[in-house]
Amino acid sequence: MSNTSIVYRSVSDVSGPLLIVENTHDVSYNEVVKVRAPNGELLTGTVLETGRGRAIIQVFEGTSGLDADITAVRFTGETMHLPVSTEILGRVLDGAGNPLDKGPPLTAEDHWDIYGSPINPYARQYPRQPIQTGLSSIDGLNTLVRGQKLPIFSGSGLPHNRIAAQIVRQAKIPGEESDFAIVFGAMGITATEAQYFMDSFEETGALEHTALFLNLANDPAIERIITPRAALTAAEYLAYESDLHVLVILTDMTNYAEALREISAARSEIPGRRGYPGYLYTDLSLIYERAGRIKGRKGTITQMPILSMPQDDMTHPIPDLTGYITEGQIIVGRSVHRRGIYPPIDPGPSLSRLMKEGIGEGMTRFDHKEVQAQLYYGYSEGCDLRDLVAVVGAEALTERDQKYLKFADRFEAEFINQGEFEDRSFEQTLDIGWDLLSDFPERELKRCDPDTISWAKNQNLYKSS
Amino acid sequence: MTESTGRIETIAGPVVKCSGLPSVRMYEVVRVGTQKLIGEVIEVSDKEFTAQVYEETSGLAPGEPVISTGDSLSVELGPGLLGAIYDGIQRPLPELREMSGDFISRGLNVDALNKEKKWEFKPSVEVGAKVSPGDIIGKVPETGILTTMIMIPVGVQGEVVEIASEDEYTVIETICKVKDSHGDIHDVIMMQRTPVRVGRGFKDRAPMDTPLLTGQRVIDTFMPQAKGGTGAIPGGFGTGKTVTLHQFAKWADAQVVVYVGCGERGNEMTEALEEWPSLKDPKSGRPLMERTVLIANTSNMPVAAREASIYVAVTIAEYFRDQGFDVALMADSTSRWAEALREISGRLGQLPSEEGYPAYLGSRLAQFYERGGRVKTLASDERLGSITICGAVSPPGGDFSEPVTQATLRIVKVFWALDKDLAARRFFPAINTLTSYSLYHSTLKKWHIENLGEDWPELVKESLALLQKDQELREIVQLVGPDALPESERAILEAARMIKEDFLTQSALHEIDTYSPIGKTYRMLRVIIGFTQRMAAAVKMGVQVKRILDLSVLDNIARMKITPLDTYEEQMDAVEKKMEREFKSLLQELSDSGLLSEPVV
């Protein structure tokens, strides 16, 4: 480890977000660096490369104002740590974990390395219990499971921030409300958006069980590298030391990946696709894989990263690599949005891989799997028919086809569509599903067990004649 | 073992440049830094060498020591492998958890095989026997499924002068002494150590004439894998690569399964660990985990170990092959392995070729797949063993033209193409029957005819033809609507729909449907093709497709998938009879009312 009392003034180069210091001794990889700018400002960075008396440092606040003459650099001998305690709930912090809310400095039960360590796959437990978001399009069709990482893929101009805020307000574990917490990490969002989130959480009281990490659009881009890691470190403490079920929402991962690209370019690394570094997959997985459930521990970490797809292109490296790591994806669809539906979640390409184990008797309701399959079948039939109608006209359709066409419309208007402050329970969501399925005669419900159908009849949920 | 010390010069991610140690060799294992992280030498120059470190390098500083071990990266082979779960460099994860808790910390050194556990050893040679490498000298009933063969290691040849009696021994106790032609005595223990980067030797390659049955209808029928064959399964995310590979690992009729999770999700390994011990092998009724070795380098574990994990896995597979077993190796996903190569190569400053991958990507992939195959083992008897390799490929954006997919397709003989559109329609397994292929059809033909029926090649051909025709007709329907088609073509659409819905789709989650033995698959296909032929004939005689679709035997056909394995023979017989009957009475009825254009023959 480096000698922490030495102050280096041997900066040889400032380029982009990087600072190069010469004549260093025994500086270790990834350690935290304090940089004193000529104007007296104190900046923070970490070591990206070290050796042969030279260290390359990335400066989180950016390098503006730094020079090769007066700038002083001190190595701290430690990797980056975050003070952790349960008092972080209710606080608003900047992207590096410093208070923004005029409150006192964070109290620390402990200091945790923000890079964490990989969970031993043998220590993991398979996620099996749901989280209720209050949105039918998620709860009913692609349920979020505790310990899962389920991203929201959106695009510019789509209301993913409203959806995120609604999830933060409404998300809960029915029956275990008090063991639930939210960590919200924002990377490069605008001041207006940040204000919207804070107001929205404060009004509804959601702030009490939420910790906010805000890196705004005009904050230094490189700080975005640490924001999700700081947020996840706080989440790990809350989950594994304080037994809470933590939902981590990270928005917008596209800004994060862009910051990563900026550093990579500054180091003149060989770029992979679209200029993103070749290690983007590994880097993203170091964030996403911090979700999970561990044998013998009560708390869990569930992640909902939000990312905006450039030009709605799902094959763009960021959504593409994310999809390979996460356990499914929720798609905010532009055409659904144009039809005036809120939340405009497109069920077709959306998928929750862990849902099958997280729903059913004792978790949501026993009929959930069948209702979900039947709704999916009906909606995709209806959508196929919409295409056909465009070619041959509605008159050419059979009576059965007309029903499916009508069903698809009702499904969008009543099931997917809901108010921004409407919080539906799992039961309410499934009941709406049965109400829609009532348009079909019993023999059309091939995805449902006859026993389930008669149960639904008895409960007066399924009302087909 | 020689130990000397060098020092770290520079560090960049997993790549560390060091000086000192003039005698260090390529691919030698070194211990890096004060924490003794495990690394491997990947570049040697005059005064310096470069190592890739298999653990996270944060906190490592120049000037820290580097120790050479004189050893290359090796695996320990012997009783205790089955049922184990290892990280990318064969450290057992349960032991790591005991040492460092739920999160993996660094610099841990654990033996791959338990050196204290005693195994029941049964000798199978006597004093005086002549033995050469690969010969079996005894057996260890390791799990309920598999008896591990203890073999003479490479380099030992001669006469057995001492052999242990039937008793319990650890893997490092001497169980046999062999005197070679110079009169030197060699001690033989149960454990073998093999370097991972070169394949274990064998005598000769053997023809691949037996299928590796996977229990998945679409694969066993349309693109069958051979024992010893190589196959790749590319697909974008969400198309079901991992589910398909898990299905292989669960149901393939191999005796040993080596599954390597290479840069994939942690929860997927957990799923395997939680589910497989409770699943029963269809043949022996024992837990499937007893024939499985798991290797996990999840995406958040160090990238350099990802590069090694594939070699560790294939070397373990070769060890079981040499004992005379049929081994199936699943690698999920080879793209992550290629990306690890790319990352290391980038940090070494090597010139990149396509999409930043190193120029040797293709040759490395080929070397890996070439370690599969069906072989005559080294032993003096004529023992056959095989390794079947199935690798998942994760093409960025689902685009099969990218370098890893293309390099893989040049090598492998079976290609299972996963289709995003099928997956979006929840049509699983989402394997596109028209673009996928297997080059083993002709070599396996004999086996299929002998074990299933003369008509098997015809049935397969006919189904493929129907699916092909269906594809063409669908394009027409898109333009003109279904009403414009003549009855005979509607019958083809219906026939293809039956093949797709009642045969090709298979639920991995349904307790019966998840595994379809080849006999059942054959009978199902025979029933469906039988129906479609009768339908085509009836339509030709003037029967409307609508009338045929009202036949109640269709309900029986739809339920064939979930017919229990012990009664499917009788039930299929019954379905075939019922089908015969219903067609006959339908034709009779229509003929009586004069609605047929041709008379009933």
Side-chain angles (χ1 to χ4, degrees), chain A residues 29-30 52 128 281 297 320 324, chain B residues 48 58-59 102 263 274 395 397:
Chain A
Y29 177 61
N30 232 351
R52 287 189 238 273
R128 284 183 216 282
Y281 176 84
R297 299 198 194 219
D320 188 51
Y324 274 120
Chain B
E48 285 191 335
S58 290
D102 297 334
E274 288 187 14

Side-chain angles (χ1 to χ4, degrees), chain A residues 33-111:
Chain A
V33 187
K34 296 287 176 192
V35 180
R36 176 76 66 186
N39 64 4
E41 204 185 338
L42 192 62
L43 312 174
T44 310
T46 58
V47 176
L48 286 180
E49 204 174 303
T50 164
R52 287 189 238 273
R54 207 168 106 112
I56 300 178
I57 297 159
Q58 57 175 346
V59 183
F60 293 126
E61 290 86 347
T63 48
S64 70
L66 296 187
D67 67 352
D69 188 23
I70 311 172
T71 301
V73 175
R74 190 172 61 83
F75 296 91
T76 62
E78 277 184 342
T79 50
M80 191 163 267
H81 283 63
L82 180 80
V84 284
S85 74
T86 46
E87 280 163 42
I88 204 164
L89 292 177
R91 299 295 302 269
V92 182
L93 311 163
D94 72 5
N98 306 305
L100 274 185
D101 53 4
K102 302 185 185 77
L106 285 182
T107 49
E109 293 287 328
D110 206 347
H111 287 81

Side-chain angles (χ1 to χ4, degrees), chain B residues 176-325:
Chain B
C176 180
K177 289 188 175 173
V178 177
K179 190 166 85 176
D180 66 15
S181 54
H182 306 291
D184 294 338
I185 305 285
H186 298 266
D187 289 352
V188 176
I189 58 173
M190 288 201 260
M191 186 183 90
Q192 299 190 0
R193 266 179 77 84
T194 311
V196 299
R197 292 196 187 270
V198 278
R200 283 169 65 96
F202 54 83
K203 249 194 298 200
D204 212 351
R205 290 199 182 259
M208 296 179 248
D209 49 14
T210 326
L212 181 88
L213 301 171
T214 61
Q216 309 304 303
R217 285 186 293 270
V218 56
I219 288 167
D220 290 345
T221 311
F222 294 118
M223 42 297 240
Q225 176 64 286
K227 286 203 169 105
T230 49
I233 180 160
F237 63 83
T239 48
K241 284 184 303 297
T242 301
V243 177
T244 312
L245 282 193
H246 276 200
Q247 287 294 90
F248 285 4
K250 289 185 218 166
W251 308 119
D253 70 336
Q255 285 146 307
V256 178
V257 170
V258 181
Y259 190 98
V260 43
C262 178
E264 289 289 307
R265 305 176 179 94
N267 277 331
E268 283 168 1
M269 295 316 290
T270 311
E271 186 182 5
L273 277 173
E274 288 187 14
E275 189 192 24
W276 296 358
S278 65
L279 291 173
K280 300 271 184 287
D281 173 40
K283 273 199 209 108
S284 62
R286 303 281 308 175
L288 279 175
M289 229 15 225
E290 292 189 350
R291 62 162 197 182
T292 309
V293 185
L294 284 176
I295 309 219
N297 175 280
T298 55
S299 56
N300 54 344
M301 286 159 83
V303 103
R306 192 162 309 157
E307 196 265 336
S309 64
I310 291 271
Y311 295 107
V312 167
V314 75
T315 312
I316 292 176
E318 283 171 343
Y319 169 69
F320 285 105
R321 173 202 70 190
D322 290 347
Q323 297 173 42
F325 296 122

